[in-house]
Amino acid sequence: MFGLEMESSMPWEGWFTLILLAGVLYALAREIAGPDVVMLGAMAILMGMGAISPLFPNPKEIVGQFGNEGLVTVCTLFVVAAGLSQTGALSMLSNKVLGKPTSIWKAQLRMMLPAAGISAFMNNTPVVAMFIPVIRDWSHRTGVPASKLYMPLSFATLLGGVCTLIGTSTNLVVLGLMNDSRRTDATFPTLGFWDLAIVGIPAAVAGMGYILLTSRWLLPRRIPSADFSTVPVHDSPDKSKRKSLAALSILIVMVGAMTLSTSVPIVTCTALAAAMMVLTRCCTPDQARRSIDWRTLLAIGASFGIGRAMETTGAADFVAGNMLWIFKPLGPWGVLVGVYLLTLLFTELITNNAAAALAFPIAKAAAAAMGVSFLPFGVVLAVAASAAFSTPIGYHTHLMVYGPGGYRFTDFVRFGLPLNFVVMVVVIAIVPIALPF
């Protein structure tokens, strides 16, 4: 495969995993059950198969996905958001930043610009977690349907994240893999802080333009079935103000630590911030517990387990080998398109970081086989691994807004699939010119 030969065989375990994944997508599309139930059901099947064949992840490995750092980060951020919401700090922020738009497209623009800008310099997950309750309250106050806002919120953070090297953890994964290759080949390229901006910024502009132009027709006007109302605060005005300032101070310190410190893990920053929200009485322990969306966490954790099975059973390698073999006759530009589509497919079906890690050696071997620079492939790989919009499992922030927005699986396909190709066309058009082979 790594020499761009067609993959002709795959063990039965790989076929089983692909069929199971197709069943998961079908169940989500038909809304047979909620995402958490569907994902957990698939995970349970894989755990059972682990007892039959060693190619499947063993039950401990699958269950261990629930200890994933990203999942724990999402969990603690629910508590941080609860502290901001209970103190009224979120209303202060929304009034200052978001204002009172007079139309849906103006509301989307007011929301997407700061969300994308912040996401260029910090992880997407805390940005979405912070905005979810803000958008909920803002939607109630302005009358703009939440379903017109939550998906653009998640999409905008992904578009912002591909503009700088630190915009998403996926970019750092690709950087780490490129630096590992430099240890054995001093001529192997690496990525600078702004190298992604040359394609990321045009892609973000085009993507947000698409959202503003098409959401009127392609996004549903739907009221979420779940109750996401906020418990009112009964403190005195002075006490409420002190708590609001305390919550905002905790948020600022958390964001500053995540942005400026490279030695402290993001999950540590968010966990400490969550603890401080409770200790400073910005929210009670009971409110903190109620704020955690367990359905979202279960769906995300189970999706990690399915992605791991794609890797261990050889299903991912099989798909990769055959896809790139198809594009080989088109030369470097064609293989670049193949790498983009391959990485995009992986990240829509498994996880963004796993997609980058899986596609990297394939792209590296393809560049070497053709005798061209890896740099354009590295940039394409980094963008494609994050720019996944057409399924709710393509990025965990999509699952975070799935419930609050009252969305269905088909909403992501209808609105997100064209956006996938908008971004791809922009990136593929710019990369070979800005970063020649």
Side-chain angles (χ1 to χ4, degrees):
M1 175 192 62
F2 295 130
L4 298 187
E5 294 87 7
M6 184 177 184
E7 285 285 295
S8 59
S9 63
M10 178 171 61
W12 69 266
E13 293 90 345
W15 288 112
F16 183 91
T17 303
L18 288 178
I19 293 170
L20 180 64
L21 181 59
V24 166
L25 297 176
Y26 176 80
L28 290 173
R30 295 297 301 270
E31 298 183 22
I32 294 173
D36 55 330
V37 176
V38 173
M39 297 289 194
L40 286 171
M43 188 190 77
I45 293 172
L46 289 172
M47 291 175 68
M49 297 305 294
I52 298 176
S53 170
L55 286 184
F56 290 103
N58 62 58
K60 287 185 178 180
E61 187 176 2
I62 292 180
V63 173
Q65 301 300 314
F66 285 92
N68 180 281
E69 186 174 304
L71 187 64
V72 177
T73 300
V74 173
C75 182
T76 55
L77 283 168
F78 280 126
V79 179
V80 174
L84 291 164
S85 181
Q86 297 299 326
T87 60
L90 287 178
S91 297
M92 292 171 54
L93 283 175
S94 61
N95 288 335
K96 296 287 186 182
V97 178
L98 301 178
K100 296 181 179 179
T102 56
S103 65
I104 290 176
W105 78 266
K106 288 181 179 178
Q108 292 171 336
L109 185 63
R110 283 175 177 263
M111 173 195 66
M112 289 193 297
L113 287 177
I118 296 170
S119 291
F121 300 97
M122 64 178 287
N123 191 276
N124 303 350
T125 303
V127 177
V128 172
M130 293 300 103
F131 267 91
I132 283 177
V134 172
I135 298 304
R136 176 199 61 209
D137 295 342
W138 192 45
S139 172
H140 290 165
R141 191 171 62 254
T142 61
V144 177
S147 59
K148 297 286 188 181
L149 297 171
Y150 279 120
M151 202 183 296
L153 167 65
S154 183
F155 288 3
T157 62
L158 266 63
L159 292 169
V162 298
C163 292
T164 71
L165 192 60
I166 63 171
T168 173
S169 59
T170 310
N171 299 346
L172 297 176
V173 168
V174 174
L175 174 67
L177 292 169
M178 292 176 74
N179 287 340
D180 285 344
S181 297
R182 282 176 65 87
R183 294 191 178 98
T184 55
D185 180 4
T187 64
F188 201 84
T190 188
L191 290 173
F193 187 88
W194 293 106
D195 283 352
L196 293 173
I198 196 167
V199 293
I201 292 176
V205 171
M208 286 189 281
Y210 162 85
I211 292 170
L212 294 173
L213 290 172
T214 65
S215 60
R216 177 180 177 183
W217 299 279
L218 298 182
L219 274 180
R221 182 182 291 268
R222 195 175 295 135
I223 300 174
S225 58
D227 178 15
F228 292 95
S229 58
T230 304
V231 178
V233 180
H234 299 292
D235 292 326
S236 66
D238 287 342
K239 190 173 183 180
S240 295
K241 186 175 181 179
R242 287 198 301 270
K243 285 188 175 181
S244 295
L245 292 174
L248 285 174
S249 298
I250 293 170
L251 173 65
I252 292 169
V253 171
M254 181 193 78
V255 172
M258 288 191 295
T259 305
L260 300 175
S261 176
T262 57
S263 58
V264 181
I266 289 176
V267 67
T268 303
C269 298
T270 59
L272 289 173
M276 289 304 298
M277 287 292 184
V278 176
L279 291 174
T280 57
R281 299 185 181 277
C282 290
C283 65
T284 66
D286 189 50
Q287 289 168 340
R289 282 191 291 269
R290 290 202 307 267
S291 72
I292 298 173
D293 188 343
W294 295 106
R295 291 174 298 177
T296 295
L297 294 177
L298 289 171
I300 294 173
S303 71
F304 288 159
I306 298 170
R308 182 62 183 148
M310 284 281 290
E311 298 175 51
T312 62
T313 60
D317 285 348
F318 179 83
V319 173
N322 286 289
M323 276 194 67
L324 287 191
W325 180 82
I326 294 172
F327 289 94
K328 180 183 177 182
L330 300 177
W333 184 88
V335 175
L336 195 70
V337 173
V339 167
Y340 193 107
L341 290 172
L342 170 66
T343 310
L344 181 63
L345 177 65
F346 279 169
T347 199
E348 290 283 16
L349 300 180
I350 45 179
T351 67
N352 52 321
N353 288 343
L358 281 171
F360 181 87
I362 300 167
K364 179 181 175 182
M370 293 181 292
V372 298
S373 170
F374 179 78
L375 186 58
F377 289 90
V379 170
V380 160
L381 193 153
V383 174
S386 292
F389 308 102
S390 62
T391 71
I393 62 174
Y395 208 94
H396 52 261
T397 56
H398 300 344
L399 288 171
M400 292 170 67
V401 302
Y402 196 107
Y407 295 121
R408 299 168 183 162
F409 184 92
T410 50
D411 295 330
F412 280 87
V413 177
R414 182 175 58 252
F415 189 55
L417 187 60
L419 181 55
N420 276 351
F421 289 102
V422 167
V423 173
M424 185 183 78
V425 168
V426 172
V427 172
I428 295 299
I430 294 175
V431 166
I433 299 172
L435 305 168
F437 294 107

